[in-house]
Amino acid sequence: MILAAERYLHMLEMAKDPENDFYYSPEHVVDYCDFAERLQHFESGTWELTQKDEDGNPDPSIILEPWQIWVESAIQGFRRRFTGERLVTTAIEVIPRKSAKSLKATIAALFDLCCSGQVAPQIPIAAASAKQADDTLFGDIKAMVENDEDLAAEYGLETTKDEVRCGSGTIFKLTSLGERQDGLNPSLALFEEGHAGAASVYKVVDSAFGARPNALRRMITTAGYRPEGPGYELLLDATRVLEGTEEDYSLFAAIYTLDKEDYLDPDTSAILWEKLFTDEDLLIKANPMYGISLDPIKIKTSLKVAKRRLDLRGEAARTRFNIWTGSGTSLIDLSNWQSCKRDICLEDFIGQKCWIGVDLAQKTDMCSIALVFELPGDRIAVFAKYFLPEDSETVSHPELFDQIEIWREGGWLELTEGPLADHDRVREEVEAYCEVFDVQVIACDPAQAHNTVKQLWDGHKPVMVYPNRADTMTPPTDDVLGRIIAKTIWHDGNPVLAWNAQNVYGERKGNGSIMPRKEKDHSPRKIDGFVALCFANGCRLEPDFAKDPSKDDAGKDDPYLTRGILGYEERHV
């Protein structure tokens, strides 16, 4: 926020120069704020306690707070010198829960519909589903219009189940399953909770954006359960702009959160829950509506409960401090993982020593291959390759199908034909790696890889069986976790591997062991690539952990390892 404020002041100085590409218009800011404060609250809230009319009754008029006026000044005030249109074309506000996010977005939508002066403005409310739109922003816009007869009459507003209309202009729902995606020409696109939005809808808006002058994409959101998706990607872009590594005056960002040193242990990068939930200065820092729409007593009480309840900690960190975390037991902070990204590619390591881990799916799940290379200075480089049956339930899962398509298009994930995992395709990829790298070992999970191990063994490849147990998984897991903090593990930014890493959970046992696992047994959020990485890294650290498959007691009676697959002809005879 300090960087955002300094950038705003710098832009004000730039705007004074008549040779500059943009200028500052206080009139546009005043028009917007005047419209906002003519609207009225339509729900009960803390305003009833503080806002009174002359007779002492609650006054429902909206009163903008100073920080809200600053945000609108930055978005509405800067104008392109030769056209007069808004300079800002993309805006992201990351604000904790109960900080009037929906109210801010409602004002923005109604102002552009009623007062922007554009011909037939189109204002989509982008959401993953119609229900999400109804339950949040679109439902609030509709309620404000229906509860303010003067507003509806002055601008001739009409509401239907799916639209709010003003002449030929409309506010409407745009979902991943919507029918309004063709011919879209948005004047203002709103993503109220970007962390939960569908990537496919964001992509549709993005592809349609730019044809209309004065167009604006605006995302007002809290932090998400997982650092991924369009909201997190936009947050990363905004962070780079605020930190000065990229220049883009058409992007505005207000990110109300904490600095890492506020709540992370400097040695382990673990969250200091006691400090996070008891230091009132941190609450004030991250919550611009603290003491206004947020009752300090209620907030402090809820944090005391979260401090005692492990299952509530992650949600409290997300909603109160905008920390992108799933829960307190997640092993890897994605921002730490992202900081280990380097400009490397697999081709850089041709001919070098390589350790390979393979995690195969049982039937319809994801298969993964992880590759580990050693670098000077006690560093390692890791890569991953993924395979998924195109007809599997995972591909069509509503939480994942948008991301899966992006991963497929980016070449990070290969979709194989049919509903079952294609182990032969995985084996072919491993064999190809053996041709170009000095492969030391191919470590496979014995649970599903019997046939693959047999074929690799027959092909004279250095395949081994890696037991997936706490005693064998703890050393490679601890090594990876330590390297993430020390930034001695390098990766190429593979988004599927990053997703796997963020999905890894685990609790340290009394004997010091730890077993990577998913958050829940049947969770769609996979960790296969991380497991394969631990197989490969385990063999690198402790070669004796892996077993020669021909001497593996657990598989001595396995027919796949002794006689291979019985074909049709043999069965028939």
Side-chain angles (χ1 to χ4, degrees):
M1 291 306 301
I2 292 173
L3 293 175
E6 290 175 343
R7 179 172 180 262
Y8 170 79
L9 294 174
H10 177 63
M11 290 176 68
L12 284 179
E13 289 300 313
M14 293 176 63
K16 295 177 182 178
D17 183 355
E19 301 296 322
N20 193 58
D21 292 339
F22 59 85
Y23 66 99
Y24 179 77
S25 170
E27 292 83 5
H28 283 90
V29 181
V30 171
D31 283 349
Y32 187 94
C33 295
D34 179 63
F35 174 83
E37 295 195 335
R38 291 170 57 206
L39 301 176
Q40 296 185 347
H41 291 282
F42 57 91
E43 291 182 328
S44 295
T46 54
W47 58 270
E48 294 171 310
L49 302 176
T50 58
Q51 294 179 203
K52 306 292 184 179
D53 60 20
E54 295 179 354
D55 298 324
N57 298 315
D59 181 1
S61 300
I62 291 173
I63 300 176
L64 297 177
E65 295 297 319
W67 74 273
Q68 294 171 325
I69 297 173
W70 168 71
V71 167
E72 302 309 333
S73 175
I75 295 175
Q76 311 294 336
F78 292 106
R79 299 274 154 172
R80 298 186 183 276
R81 188 167 299 278
F82 299 109
T83 64
E85 62 188 281
R86 274 183 298 232
L87 173 68
V88 173
T89 59
T90 303
I92 178 171
E93 299 167 63
V94 186
I95 308 171
R97 180 176 290 175
K98 299 301 180 184
S99 297
K101 297 189 304 299
S102 292
L103 183 63
K104 284 170 58 61
T106 296
I107 295 169
L110 290 173
F111 179 81
D112 259 56
L113 179 68
C114 302
C115 304
S116 66
Q118 297 196 50
V119 177
Q122 290 186 13
I123 305 169
I125 308 301
S129 66
K131 184 178 186 302
Q132 184 192 43
D134 285 333
D135 290 346
T136 53
L137 180 52
F138 182 82
D140 288 344
I141 295 170
K142 185 178 176 183
M144 177 170 280
V145 173
E146 293 175 345
N147 283 276
D148 191 335
E149 295 180 358
D150 293 338
L151 171 68
E154 181 171 352
Y155 295 103
L157 298 176
E158 300 176 347
T159 63
T160 68
K161 178 183 177 182
D162 298 315
E163 292 184 335
V164 176
R165 298 172 181 164
C166 178
S168 57
T170 58
I171 300 171
F172 57 93
K173 295 177 283 188
L174 180 68
T175 72
S176 57
L177 302 177
E179 300 176 353
R180 300 286 302 260
Q181 297 184 5
D182 292 335
L184 185 65
N185 186 18
S187 52
L188 170 67
L190 286 167
F191 306 82
E192 194 231 0
E193 285 292 359
H195 73 87
S200 60
V201 183
Y202 190 87
K203 188 175 180 179
V204 167
V205 173
D206 198 50
S207 63
F209 193 76
R212 184 190 291 264
N214 218 41
L216 172 66
R217 289 169 293 196
R218 189 164 184 175
M219 183 180 291
I220 306 175
T221 183
T222 56
Y225 295 100
R226 297 291 191 277
E228 60 193 41
Y232 192 72
E233 290 299 320
L234 183 55
L235 174 65
L236 294 179
D237 288 343
T239 301
R240 288 189 286 267
V241 168
L242 293 177
E243 291 177 347
T245 58
E246 294 182 10
E247 182 181 285
D248 184 0
Y249 293 115
S250 69
L251 174 65
F252 168 78
I255 305 168
Y256 285 92
T257 185
L258 303 178
D259 296 309
K260 290 184 178 181
E261 55 266 29
D262 290 333
Y263 66 95
L264 293 182
D265 186 296
D267 297 323
T268 66
S269 292
I271 294 178
L272 302 172
W273 297 106
E274 176 74 23
K275 180 181 181 182
L276 183 66
F277 290 159
T278 57
D279 190 339
E280 188 175 23
D281 288 342
L282 299 186
L283 270 172
I284 295 170
K285 183 175 183 177
N287 291 270
M289 296 294 278
Y290 189 70
I292 303 169
S293 63
L294 295 176
D295 185 332
I297 295 177
K298 291 181 180 179
I299 296 299
K300 290 177 184 178
T301 300
S302 68
L303 293 182
K304 287 180 181 178
V305 176
K307 187 177 67 172
R308 299 193 303 267
R309 294 270 305 274
L310 295 178
D311 58 319
L312 298 179
R313 287 181 174 180
E315 181 71 358
R318 181 181 77 86
T319 58
R320 290 276 64 89
F321 301 99
N322 273 327
I323 297 172
W324 294 69
T325 181
S327 80
T329 57
S330 180
L331 292 179
I332 299 172
D333 178 86
L334 192 65
S335 60
N336 290 336
W337 175 264
Q338 299 284 26
S339 68
C340 296
K341 181 181 181 298
R342 296 294 186 273
D343 185 17
I344 57 176
C345 64
L346 199 53
E347 289 77 9
D348 298 336
F349 296 87
I350 291 177
Q352 297 191 27
K353 286 185 178 181
C354 175
W355 289 260
I356 295 178
V358 180
D359 187 28
L360 294 177
Q362 182 176 8
K363 292 182 180 179
T364 63
D365 214 342
M366 182 178 284
C367 297
S368 60
I369 304 171
L371 301 93
V372 177
F373 300 87
E374 291 183 335
L375 295 168
D378 189 31
R379 294 172 298 192
I380 62 173
V382 300
F383 300 89
K385 175 77 175 185
Y386 293 87
F387 304 86
L388 187 64
E390 62 183 0
D391 295 333
S392 68
E393 293 181 357
T394 302
V395 172
S396 58
H397 195 284
E399 279 190 40
L400 303 177
F401 70 86
D402 284 325
Q403 288 298 324
I404 286 173
E405 180 59 22
I406 292 172
W407 296 335
R408 185 195 65 78
E409 290 181 353
W412 305 104
L413 171 68
E414 181 177 320
L415 296 183
T416 57
E417 293 183 0
L420 302 179
D422 190 344
H423 291 189
D424 288 339
R425 177 68 190 92
V426 177
R427 175 178 50 79
E428 291 171 358
E429 193 75 7
V430 172
E431 291 173 340
Y433 291 144
C434 291
E435 296 297 320
V436 295
F437 303 120
D438 182 10
V439 176
Q440 304 298 297
V441 67
I442 304 163
C444 298
D445 183 347
Q448 311 299 336
H450 295 156
N451 187 41
T452 300
V453 168
K454 165 66 174 173
Q455 291 174 314
L456 289 171
W457 182 263
D458 289 345
H460 305 291
K461 299 298 187 291
V463 64
M464 297 290 175
V465 176
Y466 195 88
N468 192 353
R469 306 188 307 256
D471 62 325
T472 56
M473 293 296 282
T474 297
T477 301
D478 279 342
D479 182 68
V480 170
L481 297 180
R483 288 180 177 279
I484 293 171
I485 296 172
K487 296 181 176 56
T488 58
I489 182 172
W490 290 4
H491 60 80
D492 61 349
N494 186 319
V496 194
L497 183 56
W499 178 67
N500 283 172
Q502 178 60 23
N503 296 338
V504 175
Y505 289 73
E507 294 179 358
R508 186 76 62 178
K509 302 299 182 182
N511 61 3
S513 67
I514 191 166
M515 186 73 178
R517 60 174 176 80
K518 295 193 294 185
E519 182 180 11
K520 298 177 182 178
D521 288 342
H522 300 292
S523 172
R525 315 189 72 83
K526 313 300 182 182
I527 64 170
D528 308 84
F530 185 84
V531 172
L533 171 59
C534 288
F535 292 166
N537 196 40
C539 286
R540 186 186 68 86
L541 295 170
E542 301 283 350
D544 292 340
F545 279 168
K547 296 182 179 181
D548 183 329
S550 65
K551 301 175 182 178
D552 182 13
D553 292 337
K556 65 181 180 180
D557 298 323
D558 188 342
Y560 294 115
L561 296 179
T562 56
R563 59 146 172 83
I565 299 176
L566 189 62
Y568 172 79
E569 293 80 4
E570 290 86 347
R571 290 202 313 272
H572 183 68
V573 172

